[in-house]
Amino acid sequence: MSDQSAVPSLPLPGGASIPQLGYGVFKVENDVAADVTVQALEAGYRHLDTAKVYGNEEGVGRAIRASGVAREDIFLTTKLWNDAQRFDDAITACEASLERLGTEYVDLYLVHWAVPVQGTYVEAWKALVELQKRGLARSIGVSNYPLPQLREAIDATGVVPSVHQIELHPYFQQRELRAFHEEHGIVTESWGPLGQGKSDLLENAAITEIAAAHGATPAQVVLAWHLASGLVTIPKSVTPSRIVENLAAAQLELTAAEVAAIDALDRPDGRGGADPSTKES
Ligand SMILES: NC(=O)c1ccc[n+]([C@@H]2O[C@H](COP(=O)([O-])OP(=O)(O)OC[C@H]3O[C@@H](n4cnc5c(N)ncnc54)[C@H](OP(=O)(O)O)[C@@H]3O)[C@@H](O)[C@H]2O)c1
């Protein structure tokens, strides 16, 4: 399918909106990113998620220009890496990201990880508030902020992140953070939405049964669950058929019972990536 109109958007404070289904490029080498991101834009994605640390901002920027899709029709996210959380460093880092991307603004700039032990997660957030004021980032948010650090950043600035990007998939549903987000009007964005290939998620019987019932793939069922749950998500694939398959998940509607069956897969030990409370660098 190549119909982005099937992808719903969620409103962000200030009048912007974020397409609920986007395309992530974690662990994609720069030149490959330049190629697969064009494929994603041709397939119909209009939301791209990169980061300074992925080393592929230049390739993503090249793809945007090569695609012929107008910059203003793309929702573009990048992230501030952990070594640049000091105020002045963060401003410079954002300017450098924009330079690599070849754009004058990003739609969303995120602090990539809180890294509580560094003690600069509030300072980083203050820098993002400034970057938004200067127009370099249309919307700002955080990623991988444990609840205490998220509260602290909000209390120190009075500014609530528009988006919090966190590890989230059926085996790790982050109910506590999501409840806080709902209370404060923060959009929850799922990274690792397919479980990053680190578990048997896509072979789980609850998922494969729902997939069979709809003539869909397990990945599409998982992505449809994210969408039905009001989450934004950014699956990554460098496989042409999967790039198209994942976007088509926006057309799959699960029943309330199917959503509930996937809700029941949450596990206390379901985290696959680093724990944001203890990550050190
Ligand atoms: N903020 C953060 O700290 C953070 C951390 C991690 C990720 N992210 C963002 O979130 C995005 C997504 O997370 P992720 O890349 O870690 O994990 P993911 O999207 O959950 O999983 C990607 C893996 O699933 C495979 N896959 C993709 N589509 C599939 C399909 N339809 N069927 C079967 N397998 C499929 C991919 O393989 P192929 O590529 O070989 O097709 C790849 O191995 C990233 O790209 C990045 O933009 C953010």
Side-chain angles (χ1 to χ4, degrees), residues 47-51 75-79 106-108 110 165:
H47 171 179
L48 305 173
D49 184 271
T50 183
F75 189 98
L76 177 62
T77 300
T78 195
K79 313 183 192 89
V106 280
D107 295 278
L108 179 63
L110 301 174
Q165 187 181 117

Side-chain angles (χ1 to χ4, degrees), residues 103-244:
T103 185
E104 286 174 2
Y105 68 94
V106 280
D107 295 278
L108 179 63
Y109 197 48
L110 301 174
V111 183
H112 206 143
W113 292 83
V115 199
V117 72
Q118 285 188 172
T120 45
Y121 47 88
V122 171
E123 190 172 342
W125 181 236
K126 287 180 178 168
L128 265 62
V129 172
E130 175 62 23
L131 286 163
Q132 185 181 31
K133 277 192 195 133
R134 293 189 194 177
L136 276 60
R138 297 254 163 108
S139 297
I140 52 172
V142 295
S143 178
N144 304 306
Y145 268 51
L147 191 48
Q149 284 75 23
L150 181 56
R151 283 186 199 279
E152 211 183 315
I154 295 170
D155 291 347
T157 56
V159 182
V160 178
S162 295
V163 174
H164 191 187
Q165 187 181 117
I166 52 177
E167 180 182 350
L168 202 162
H169 45 76
Y171 285 169
F172 192 62
Q173 296 187 20
Q174 298 263 30
R175 299 230 165 96
E176 190 188 18
L177 269 174
R178 281 163 70 189
F180 181 86
H181 295 168
E182 204 158 311
E183 228 176 275
H184 292 81
I186 301 169
V187 168
T188 306
E189 181 170 24
S190 310
W191 67 251
L194 300 171
Q196 301 185 293
K198 288 181 177 169
S199 68
D200 66 353
L201 177 65
L202 299 182
E203 286 96 54
N204 183 290
I207 307 275
T208 56
E209 278 166 25
I210 296 167
H214 287 274
T217 67
Q220 288 175 325
V221 169
V222 170
L223 295 172
W225 171 84
H226 285 274
L227 301 181
S229 306
L231 304 163
V232 170
T233 191
I234 42 171
K236 169 262 176 187
S237 178
V238 293
T239 311
S241 61
R242 288 174 172 174
I243 290 173
V244 173

Side-chain angles (χ1 to χ4, degrees), residues 42-101:
E42 282 173 354
Y45 291 85
R46 291 294 179 267
H47 171 179
L48 305 173
D49 184 271
T50 183
K52 191 269 178 185
V53 78
Y54 301 168
N56 56 25
E57 290 173 316
E58 188 275 330
V60 169
R62 221 188 312 149
I64 291 172
R65 290 186 295 282
S67 72
V69 178
R71 170 68 188 88
E72 60 269 25
D73 292 337
I74 297 170
F75 189 98
L76 177 62
T77 300
T78 195
K79 313 183 192 89
L80 174 71
W81 188 237
N82 306 339
D83 60 3
Q85 289 192 346
R86 290 287 178 195
F87 190 91
D88 291 344
D89 295 344
I91 304 290
T92 307
C94 181
E95 289 167 348
S97 280
L98 294 180
E99 180 79 30
R100 283 187 293 273
L101 286 161

